[in-house]
Structures are given as C-alpha cells and as structure tokens.
Amino acid sequence: MNPEALSAAVLAVLDPIAVSLRPDEQLALEAADIVLERPRNRDHGDWSTNIAMRLAKRLGTNPRDLAQRIADGLTQSDGIAGVEIAGPGFINIRLEAGAAGALAKTIVDQGSAYGTNASQAGVSVNVEFVSANPTGPLHIGHTRWAALGDSIVRLLLASGAQAVREYYINDAGAQMERFARSVLAAAKGEPTPEDGYPGAYIAELAQRVLTAHPGLLDLPEAEQLVVARDQAYEYQLAEIKASLDAFNVPFDVWFSERTLHADSGGPSLVDQAVDRLRAQGHVFDEEGAVWVRTTDFGDDKDRVIRRSNGEYTYFAADAAYYLNKGDRGFQNKIYLLGADHHGYVHRLKAVAGAAGEDPEKNIEVLIGQLVSVRGARLSKRAGNIIEMDDLRSWIGTDALRYALERSPADSPLDLDPELLQKRTNDNPVFYVQYAHARTHNVSRNAADSGVDRSEFAPELLTHETESALLGALQEFPRLVAFAAEVREPHRIARYLEELAGLYHRWYDNCRVIPKGDDPIESVHRTRLWLNDATGQVLRNGLDLLGVSAPERM
C-alpha cells in the first residue's frame, strides 16, 4: 500500500463520518488533502496524519473523538495492521508487512518510471539559466546554475510538465563590440583595448580567426571588426556548448538576442513589445523618452524602454524576450540569476504584470548565492575567473554536480575538492553511488548463488531495517513532486543520502544469499526484489541530478 492508496483509504472512511456530522455541508475533500507523514519514531507506526485535528472544528467535534472514529474505520481496511491515536488527535497507522512490502515489486516493475508523477501535468515551463555572455569561457557561478537549472527541468519533466532548458545568448550590444575590438587587437599584436577583454583565450580566438580568414587584416577596419566579432563569437559559443555538454547539461533552445532586434521586413520584436505594452496601458512618454510604468507592479522606479535618442534600453530586450516566451506557448517562465542580479527581480516581475500576466504566478526569478572552492586556482587562459572546465577536470562531473545540487540555491557554498575526490563515505556522492553499486554487486552474487526473483512473498519483509527501507522508498514519488514544485533539487540529494544509509543498514542485517550450505528460501528471493528496488530508486534519483549511477566501484 503506497501513500496515495492509504490517503484514499482514509478519505473513504472520513467521507461518511463528515456527512453524519455535517449533513448540510459539502466538504469536497480529495485524497491529496489527506497529508501523511513518516513518524520520526518508527515505534509510532508507518504513517501519521493530522486530518482529525484539521477538520474537527469545521465538523463541530472533538479532535480525539474524530480521530478515534477514523481509526475505527481504518482498522477494517485491507493492508492496515493497526491504528493508534496520539496526543491531541494524531492518527498513527501501521501497515501489514505484505501491504508495505508489495512496493518492492511495484518499483522493479515500473523501473525508470518509478517516481514520475502528474503533479505538473498541463503546465508549460520555460527555464532560462546560465545565459553567459558569449565573450569568454564559463566560470564557477555559471557552473552552479548549470547544475541546478538542468536538475530543476529534470524534476519538472518527471512531474509531467512540458519544460524546456533555454540559454539566452547575449550576442547584441556593447559587450560584443568590446569583444570584437579585443580579438582584433590580439590578431594585430596590439595591446588589449582599455575596456576590452583580457586573457590568453582572446589570443587563442584571434589565432583561430586568422587561420580561418588569412586576409582579415587586409580588409577595411569596419569589416575587420565584423569578421573578428562574428567568427570569434562562433568559436566561443561552440566552446560554451561543449563545456555544458561535458557537464551533462543539454539545452533545448539557444535563443539569440539578435533575434529580438532583427528587421524582417517589419517591426522588430522589440518594436512590437513596446506597442504591446502600450496597448496594455502601461507605457507613457516623457521628455522625449518612452517609459513603462513598472511601479504599478512593485518596481522601485519606472523604467525607460526607449531613450530620447531613439535607442532601446536593456529593459526593452527583457520585455521583448519575456513576451516572446509567451508567444511560444510557455505559461510559466523561470529565470535563474546570480547573486549580483537582485535588482532584476522586480524589473522582470513588472514586465510580466505590464504584459497582462500574473507576476506571482507566471514568472519566477531564482537568485543563487556565490560559490567558493578551497584551493582553486584562477584560469590560466582567462586569468580572473575559475573556469567550469578546470573545475570539472579537477573534481569530476559527478562529484561537482552533486556538490552543487545538494545545497539550497540561496545558500552560499564552499566546496572542498579534497573531500569530493575521496572514495570514502565522508564524500556524499561516493556514499550514494557506492550504495547503488552495492545493489548491483548483491544482484550479481545472488545470480551466482542461484537466488533469483522467481518468487515474491512481501509478508516476509518484517525486519525493522526492511520496514524503514520500504518506508523511504514509498516517499520517493511524493518527494519528486514536491522538489519540482518548490524548485529544490537538493531535496533529492539529501533523500538519496538517507536512502543509502538505510540500505547499508539493511545490507548489514538481512541476507539475500543464504549462509554456507543453507537452502535458498522465499525470504532470500523476496529480499532480492527489495535490493533491486532500492537500486532502481537510487538510479532514478541520481538521474534527476544528472549524476551517473555506476554498477561497479
């Protein structure tokens, strides 16, 4: 019996009780309204609910009396071994061993689908993250958002949402001209311009541009800049994509900022955005400039969208980009921004409000805090940053991703590479991956010993470590749904560490392979199901984090 089935059983008992107490009131409860929790003390049962305390006043009765009536009804339900009332009206439920143990076969049968749910069904979400300027390599801040953004999308997809990963390429504006001047100066052997990009990577790009265009320096100055900009941009963007691919972060959409300003025989998307916001009644003209009254939506000041000289501001591109996401069918837009972008939160929410959407529903702006790495060296190529590729080569993709994902995004993070490279239980990612590898080792040894899954007797899974392990396995689908809802992949990582600990304790206490010449019994075959079910959940959880699940370590 899984939590959903138990919630349905509680609701089936509660409905007639509610009708008898309040015949004229329609409660309209659903199984999702029955909140179940795992008691901290397993002596209190497998599950606990406070539904009696929540509804007693509404039904005009005492919480303990209502709890007792619910308990009396539940004791008649299949799969429930006992029900007790605790405190002011908590209902503690103990499942029959067979009902609890049946989950092991369910997990094995469902395989990679176990944990998926429909909590976000019908929701379309655009998740935009990383979005670094294509003027240099990705650094440590981008690395954290790459890991978190990708895992948030994985959680949303597992929960039934239509979600895409989107990278906004800032390939228009002053930074691209600075980039072009920097590359061209390096190609000519001249010093980096005062406002240019330093670093050996610029010289590398310049050499590649010269190789591709040997006649570059014979062109007029204006053409040199265009060729240097566009060719170096192509190379740098390709490097960014390669870095993300190596970090196991696939993007579905690469959106070019130039698209917003492009003239395709009519008004650009930025022009159209101004007209659309004006039609919503939030645009006004003052001192020759065009403004958006963003203070109507909580911004600290109104924003200029087009200056008096006719030039558009960055805010104009933000507005056009937001509207474009809606035009592409995305109801909800999630932006993942760095710690230095707090000022963007009100601005982006104001764009949503000015576009006629709900700033509290249709847009989310997640702000991440800084990451530091003990003993990390600045990039030899870029000089003033810690590169993603250097970190990944040093720490490893799995360890780096897991470490970045196991803490809330809004918490500053200090990584210890020495710890993350250890092959000991002190290293969280090793601890979880080793548990998964151990499940495969048990399966291999079981096969060699003649233990298979030809029999399943869940009522035999009665050891206290089996009860604890099954209880944790039951929680996985609901945890995936919750982590998707609150955009917090770290909940999956912490769950996997708890599950690994429960598995290791079970392994120490319950044998899958008989001792010596003892015969193979039903309990051994049944435990193999539980072993393989645990491996499947560890594998599914690691996949949600973009981390591999090795079969041998």
Side-chain angles (χ1 to χ4, degrees), residues 1-5 97-116 453 455-458 461 470 473-477 526 528-534 536-537 539-540:
M1 177 177 285
N2 60 27
E4 289 73 22
L103 178 69
K105 187 174 188 302
T106 298
I107 293 172
V108 173
D109 289 344
Q110 290 187 7
S112 60
Y114 183 71
T116 59
R453 297 200 309 252
E455 186 178 2
F456 183 61
L461 300 176
L470 286 162
L473 295 174
Q474 285 179 331
E475 282 286 86
F476 186 59
T526 302
L528 182 58
W529 284 90
L530 180 55
N531 174 81
D532 293 353
T534 305
Q536 185 67 63
V537 173
R539 190 158 56 252
N540 293 357

Side-chain angles (χ1 to χ4, degrees), residues 128-399:
E128 188 230 312
F129 58 105
V130 182
S131 298
N133 289 344
T135 55
L138 299 178
H139 59 61
I140 185 172
H142 304 135
T143 305
R144 185 175 198 183
W145 274 134
L148 289 171
D150 178 57
S151 290
I152 287 172
V153 173
R154 289 169 185 256
L155 285 166
L156 288 167
L157 291 171
S159 299
Q162 295 176 315
V164 302
R165 306 165 181 83
E166 182 151 321
Y167 189 115
Y168 180 69
I169 311 169
N170 295 277
D171 54 5
Q175 80 277 1
M176 294 304 296
E177 302 313 313
R178 290 168 51 209
F179 181 58
R181 292 197 304 273
S182 302
V183 172
L184 187 57
K188 293 179 177 180
E190 298 174 353
T192 302
E194 186 175 341
D195 64 343
Y197 291 94
Y201 79 95
I202 290 291
E204 295 171 7
L205 289 172
Q207 188 56 53
R208 294 183 66 185
V209 171
L210 284 172
T211 300
H213 300 274
L216 171 68
L217 301 184
D218 297 327
L219 299 173
E221 180 77 15
E223 291 185 34
Q224 290 178 19
L225 282 169
V226 171
V227 172
R229 180 194 65 198
D230 291 349
Q231 188 66 70
Y233 158 63
E234 180 183 319
Y235 290 145
Q236 188 58 59
L237 185 61
E239 180 181 311
I240 288 172
K241 291 181 177 181
S243 296
L244 290 165
D245 285 343
F247 200 46
N248 198 19
V249 180
F251 275 89
D252 306 297
V253 178
W254 293 81
F255 189 97
S256 167
E257 183 184 355
R258 295 179 183 179
T259 306
L260 301 174
H261 302 276
D263 181 358
S264 303
S268 69
L269 292 176
V270 174
D271 293 326
Q272 295 175 43
V274 175
D275 293 340
R276 290 168 67 176
L277 295 180
R278 190 183 292 277
Q280 290 282 345
H282 303 294
V283 170
F284 65 96
D285 301 299
E286 187 175 285
E287 299 179 352
V290 180
W291 298 68
V292 178
R293 193 174 288 103
T294 55
T295 51
D296 290 347
F297 306 99
D299 202 359
D300 57 347
K301 62 181 179 180
D302 294 329
R303 302 284 175 176
V304 175
I305 198 167
R306 188 168 61 199
R307 300 185 181 94
S308 57
N309 63 5
E311 292 182 357
Y312 285 114
T313 63
Y314 283 118
F315 181 72
D318 289 341
Y321 183 43
Y322 182 87
L323 290 169
N324 177 265
K325 289 181 178 181
D327 293 343
R328 285 186 277 140
F330 296 108
Q331 300 166 291
N332 301 322
K333 302 90 179 171
I334 300 176
Y335 292 75
L336 279 65
L337 303 178
D340 57 342
H341 285 71
H342 275 283
Y344 279 74
V345 177
H346 288 308
R347 190 184 316 178
L348 289 170
K349 285 186 173 290
V351 169
E357 297 189 341
D358 184 347
E360 301 306 316
K361 179 181 178 182
N362 297 116
I363 183 171
E364 294 175 62
V365 184
L366 307 180
I367 299 293
Q369 292 302 313
L370 298 176
V371 184
S372 59
V373 184
R374 300 178 201 175
R377 297 179 180 178
L378 297 180
S379 167
K380 292 181 179 179
R381 297 191 313 143
N384 59 345
I385 66 171
I386 300 172
E387 281 195 53
M388 171 190 279
D389 287 344
D390 290 344
L391 275 176
R392 187 179 54 78
S393 298
W394 183 22
I395 298 175
T397 296
D398 284 345

